Amino acid sequence: MTRSLRFAPLAVLLLLVCALLWRVTHPQNPVVRSRIVGQPVPVFALPAAAPSKPGLASADLADGKPHLLNLFASWCVPCVAEAPVLAQLARRGAVIHGIAIRDRPEDVAHFLARHGDPYRHIGSDHDSRVQLALGSSGVPETFVLDGRGRIRFQHIGPIAAGDVPVILAHLKAAQ
Amino acid sequence: MRRRFALIGAARMIFAGCALGAAMPVAADSSVPPAEWANRQLPDRRAEAKAKSLMEEIRCLVCQGQSVADSDSDLAGDMRNLIRTRISAGDSPEKVRAWLVERYGTWISYRPPSAPIGWPLWILPFALLIIGALMLRKRVRWGRRS
């Protein structure tokens, strides 16, 4: 064994310290992305979430036109910030369907009255079944689906005004 | 004198209570009650045991670091409900785990699959031991007195 090999354990220790320091300064990304982007939306049929709107079924998402599927809730604070941006997307031609997660009809109705209603259909997911089937990890999240009901893109968190061009581009690509 | 201390004690309690109330997070949580099987055990004991061992190995999505069995969050309750419902309907724990992994990745299961990328972790301790023994070969007289 050569003399310089005695420094091998020290080198290993230094490597370990560097690796730990790197991880401390570059923490792991806590965002959980859905793994089924690119696959067809799971089959579901949800009852109406608000008295004024029909419920949502997966068949509604495969009618030949691209859609935005927005997961929201009346108790979700960032969803309030997202509401005007969704209205803007609806004005620019996006067809938006909603799924209200763990929500009561009166609360959903109150939320829509207060913050605007860009949705065509809203399904009520009272036990997060469809949310879990979509690989979603929280609200708000928005999926871009193509005309055949295939998930093309997932946006996690509220849609900011700066994200609108990206979402519209994905919608256009999903034509 | 004693009455003044009692008043101060009462005032302290009230202050502590208010401080605790103010410190609680604003309820950004659903008002819908927990799902049916979120907090109830399955009547079939064997199914419940299978469900429980799976719940302890599935990571909670919102409070990462806790298993679904330990977490208090609504989504964890819904995941427990999903697991219990599926297992009592006859799905094996591995099938339910695979369903979740298909949607969230291997990250969601505490029992990682034995992919080739993990082999160095297993081999490394033995390799280090062997390297150490080789390095000490000349230094240590194994059982022989000179």
Side-chain angles (χ1 to χ4, degrees):
Chain A
M1 290 275 172
T2 59
R3 280 180 70 99
S4 54
L5 216 60
R6 67 172 64 180
F7 293 107
L10 183 62
V12 170
L13 177 66
L14 282 173
L15 264 173
L16 186 64
V17 168
C18 286
L20 289 170
L21 280 173
W22 177 82
R23 181 46 98 199
V24 163
T25 52
H26 297 75
Q28 255 184 327
N29 188 352
V31 166
V32 183
R33 303 213 134 251
S34 168
R35 298 299 168 105
I36 60 166
V37 173
Q39 293 181 35
V41 72
V43 175
F44 65 89
L46 292 175
S52 55
K53 285 269 148 80
L56 183 67
S58 45
D60 298 325
L61 297 164
D63 64 357
K65 293 186 310 241
H67 298 95
L68 286 180
L69 177 61
N70 177 249
L71 274 60
F72 75 104
S74 67
W75 45 264
C76 154
V77 177
C79 300
V80 175
E82 187 184 51
V85 182
L86 283 176
Q88 188 191 0
L89 279 164
R91 275 197 303 273
R92 292 175 71 164
V95 177
I96 308 180
H97 291 311
I99 295 183
I101 306 290
R102 304 200 110 253
D103 234 337
R104 294 184 304 192
E106 55 267 31
D107 295 333
V108 176
H110 184 68
F111 180 90
L112 295 173
R114 208 164 155 203
H115 303 294
D117 182 5
Y119 306 106
R120 299 275 176 100
H121 294 223
I122 309 178
S124 172
D125 192 5
H126 66 98
D127 58 1
S128 309
R129 283 290 179 106
V130 177
Q131 183 182 25
L132 292 169
L134 282 166
S136 155
S137 55
V139 283
E141 283 186 20
T142 307
F143 293 89
V144 176
L145 288 94
D146 67 15
R148 291 173 302 152
R150 196 167 283 266
I151 303 173
R152 298 290 284 262
F153 178 68
Q154 178 191 25
H155 180 95
I156 294 181
I159 302 177
D163 299 321
V164 168
V166 174
I167 303 274
L168 287 172
H170 278 280
L171 263 176
K172 189 139 182 248
Q175 292 280 2
Chain B
M1 195 62 172
R2 198 178 285 174
R3 210 169 82 172
R4 196 155 62 155
F5 277 135
L7 277 172
I8 291 174
R12 255 196 219 142
M13 292 278 278
I14 292 170
F15 178 74
C18 287
L20 212 66
M24 279 173 148
V26 174
D29 236 353
S30 161
S31 52
V32 168
E36 190 185 349
W37 294 107
N39 300 319
R40 274 208 302 167
Q41 296 193 331
L42 291 171
D44 177 358
R45 219 175 265 180
R46 232 176 304 160
E48 174 63 24
K50 278 196 273 185
K52 184 162 188 289
S53 67
L54 181 61
M55 288 189 291
E56 285 167 354
E57 290 184 356
I58 298 293
R59 198 183 299 262
C60 171
L61 286 166
V62 289
C63 30
Q64 297 165 23
Q66 274 186 313
S67 75
V68 150
D70 293 331
S71 168
D72 284 334
S73 74
D74 283 337
L75 189 58
D78 286 336
M79 289 172 83
R80 288 195 299 271
N81 177 57
L82 177 89
I83 289 172
R84 282 197 172 107
T85 313
R86 288 213 158 191
I87 289 193
S88 70
D91 281 348
S92 72
E94 288 321 304
K95 196 162 166 216
V96 181
R97 189 198 301 266
W99 188 89
L100 285 166
V101 167
E102 195 185 336
R103 279 146 184 83
Y104 294 103
T106 55
W107 163 94
I108 202 175
S109 169
Y110 278 132
R111 191 188 292 264
S114 47
I117 198 169
W119 291 350
L121 266 176
W122 292 99
I123 296 174
L124 199 60
F126 300 103
L128 284 174
L129 271 173
I130 291 171
I131 291 171
L134 282 172
M135 288 176 84
L136 288 175
R137 199 174 64 227
K138 294 280 169 61
R139 305 283 190 90
V140 176
R141 299 263 170 232
W142 294 105
R144 233 182 334 137
R145 288 184 172 274
S146 54

